[in-house]
Amino acid sequence: MTIHIGAKNGDIAETVLMPGDPYRAKWAAENFLKDVRLVNEVRGMLGFTGTWNGHKVSIQGSGMGMPSLSIYANELIRDFGAKTLIRIGSCGAMQDHVAIRDVIIAMTATSLSTPSSGIFKEINFAPCADWSLLRGAVAAAETKGTPTHVGGIYSSDVFYDERPDLTEEMTRHGILGVEMEAAELYNLAARHNIRALAILTVSDHLRTGEALPSDQREKSFGDMVEIALEAAFANQCTQNMACPLNSHGVRSNLDQSSCAL
Ligand code: HPA
């Protein structure tokens, strides 16, 4: 048990999907996992554990914004031994060729600041996704035929942004979309040598002003959950499932000490 997660030791899987919204965690667990148990309800930030294709999986809400995500990700990693964290969330599109309902897989996450800025000081650290998860997610999205974009996103500290010039610069530099959590997730994954990825559904469009009506959000969200689950368990070593060295010999960020090859 931690300050913010009321689960017991062993209640949480090494693979955790993290939607911002705790009710999305509930919906995803009920619709995609088997043998689901509620493992956390502290502050209403619901967390569930179940199985997917025989793999143990947890789905824990992160809340909105990097400070909130940082609390849950830190506790999942340090106290519950999480090794793979996949954010599943929404974002605003920043490019004309990105449409509402499209999926964005975040290769990198630019930010103005994150909770880690105090550590990095003058360094402009480049938070990036885990390659094995990124590749698994792209392959899963291609198989499903989901319209998907892979590239950089912007993790903002504010939803109601008073700096339209920043949005313009992000768009000019090819940033696909804006959300509020991924950069710190990637920072924490790098610091603790675990795998992380952010998969996002476009819920609104900063250039056209369109927004996905809430009753249409479920289907797009479901595609994203499936892509995340496929990615989490793709690229596993064929000799030893506990080994993160995948069948093509590309190493992920994980420690290789358990590899039997
Ligand atoms: N801005 C920031 N975060 C978001 C947005 C947005 O437009 N849409 C979904 N998450």
Side-chain angles (χ1 to χ4, degrees):
M1 253 216 257
T2 59
I3 296 175
H4 304 95
I5 302 178
K8 294 191 281 300
N9 275 351
D11 270 353
I12 293 184
E14 287 194 355
T15 296
V16 186
L17 271 47
M18 301 186 77
D21 179 351
Y23 289 107
R24 280 285 147 95
K26 183 172 192 285
W27 183 87
E30 286 171 352
N31 285 281
F32 294 92
L33 303 187
K34 284 190 184 147
D35 307 319
V36 173
R37 288 183 301 129
L38 176 72
V39 293
N40 183 45
E41 50 185 338
V42 175
R43 291 176 181 245
M45 196 55 76
L46 306 176
F48 300 85
T49 296
T51 62
W52 179 79
N53 285 353
H55 300 285
K56 188 173 172 185
V57 176
S58 296
I59 308 183
Q60 169 65 54
S62 71
M64 290 179 279
M66 291 185 266
S68 179
L69 174 129
S70 166
I71 290 171
Y72 295 100
N74 262 294
E75 293 181 12
L76 289 169
I77 297 166
R78 295 168 183 218
D79 301 291
F80 293 99
K83 299 270 185 266
T84 297
L85 297 181
I86 304 181
R87 163 161 161 69
I88 44 174
S90 60
C91 71
M94 298 184 114
Q95 299 293 331
D96 291 334
H97 69 276
V98 176
I100 296 281
R101 290 190 195 82
D102 285 2
V103 164
I104 293 177
I105 302 176
M107 195 148 61
T108 63
T110 297
S111 69
L112 213 50
S113 74
T114 73
S116 295
S117 299
I119 296 175
F120 292 128
K121 298 196 174 81
E122 67 273 39
I123 295 172
N124 288 314
F125 185 74
C128 85
D130 175 81
W131 165 239
S132 66
L133 290 176
L134 183 81
R135 182 167 66 174
V138 173
E142 278 173 357
T143 304
K144 290 175 72 60
T146 310
T148 300
H149 309 266
V150 184
I153 62 157
Y154 173 44
S155 297
S156 175
D157 283 334
V158 285
F159 187 90
Y160 298 105
D161 203 349
E162 304 278 347
R163 289 281 308 273
D165 56 317
L166 291 180
T167 300
E168 276 165 34
E169 286 305 338
M170 292 296 118
T171 298
R172 191 160 79 95
H173 288 83
I175 291 295
L176 297 169
V178 54
E179 51 85 79
M180 299 181 68
E181 293 82 15
E184 184 61 1
L185 176 65
Y186 290 1
N187 288 338
L188 290 170
R191 190 172 312 145
H192 295 284
N193 193 28
I194 68 145
R195 304 193 303 166
L197 182 68
I199 306 173
L200 308 162
T201 301
V202 175
S203 61
D204 53 285
H205 209 297
L206 271 66
R207 296 183 59 76
T208 64
E210 286 168 280
L212 196 58
S214 50
D215 60 335
Q216 288 183 33
R217 289 184 185 204
E218 221 151 71
K219 163 82 177 86
S220 317
F221 189 77
D223 284 354
M224 194 168 51
V225 175
E226 282 173 351
I227 292 168
L229 289 165
E230 300 270 354
F233 301 103
N235 305 324
Q236 299 258 355
C237 175
T238 52
Q239 306 297 312
N240 169 8
M241 288 303 283
C243 173
L245 181 66
N246 72 35
S247 55
H248 301 285
V250 177
R251 285 170 191 272
S252 78
N253 296 341
L254 282 178
D255 174 38
Q256 300 294 310
S257 57
S258 63
C259 185
L261 293 178

